[in-house]
Amino acid sequence: QVHLAESGGGSVESGGSLRLSCVASGGIYGGTLCMGWFRQSPGKEREGVATVDADGVTTYAESVKGRFSISQGPAKYMLSLQMNNLSPEDTAIYYCAARFCYYFKKEYAYWGQGTQVTVSS
């Protein structure tokens, strides 16, 4: 029902910065979307990076605290991830994800195609 489109990935050197963006469209129809960013590296499981709940409270993975910042705007269905002081360990495909905040099922049901982030040393 909901389509997510990510952009902003690329290649940077250690210590560099990137800003990822995501836009949700399609069958929202007045619903409230809770959104977040996830990432996956080859041979590793997908992990949560940062999320925003219905009240705007943000949650970060310990590995990115102080370096990454998630934000919504100018509309609730628009999401950004500012990534600073990047390291090679941040190399992964980054995915935007969404769920309807007030649906009883709290799993993220909608996913973008992913955008590659590569950090060289």
Side-chain angles (χ1 to χ4, degrees):
Q1 299 181 29
V2 178
H3 174 72
L4 303 175
E6 305 106 328
S7 62
S11 299
V12 297
E13 295 183 351
S14 294
S17 298
L18 285 173
R19 185 177 180 86
L20 306 183
S21 298
C22 175
V23 178
S25 62
I28 302 174
Y29 301 118
T32 300
L33 292 178
C34 285
M35 303 177 70
W37 291 96
F38 296 76
R39 66 186 181 186
Q40 187 168 26
S41 299
K44 297 182 178 180
E45 295 184 349
R46 184 182 64 202
E47 65 173 341
V49 177
T51 59
V52 185
D53 71 8
D55 297 314
V57 177
T58 59
T59 301
Y60 295 92
E62 184 66 28
S63 61
V64 307
K65 286 182 178 178
R67 300 188 298 119
F68 291 12
S69 179
I70 189 171
S71 61
Q72 286 183 290
K76 288 290 187 180
Y77 54 84
M78 301 178 70
L79 186 72
S80 296
L81 183 69
Q82 179 66 45
M83 305 185 294
N84 298 323
N85 194 24
L86 287 162
S87 69
E89 289 70 33
D90 296 313
T91 295
I93 300 175
Y94 284 70
Y95 297 91
C96 178
R99 62 181 176 86
F100 285 102
C101 300
Y102 303 112
Y103 188 57
F104 71 91
K105 190 174 182 179
K106 303 304 181 182
E107 298 295 322
Y108 285 87
Y110 308 102
W111 297 83
Q113 80 284 355
T115 184
Q116 178 71 47
V117 171
T118 302
V119 185
S120 62
S121 58

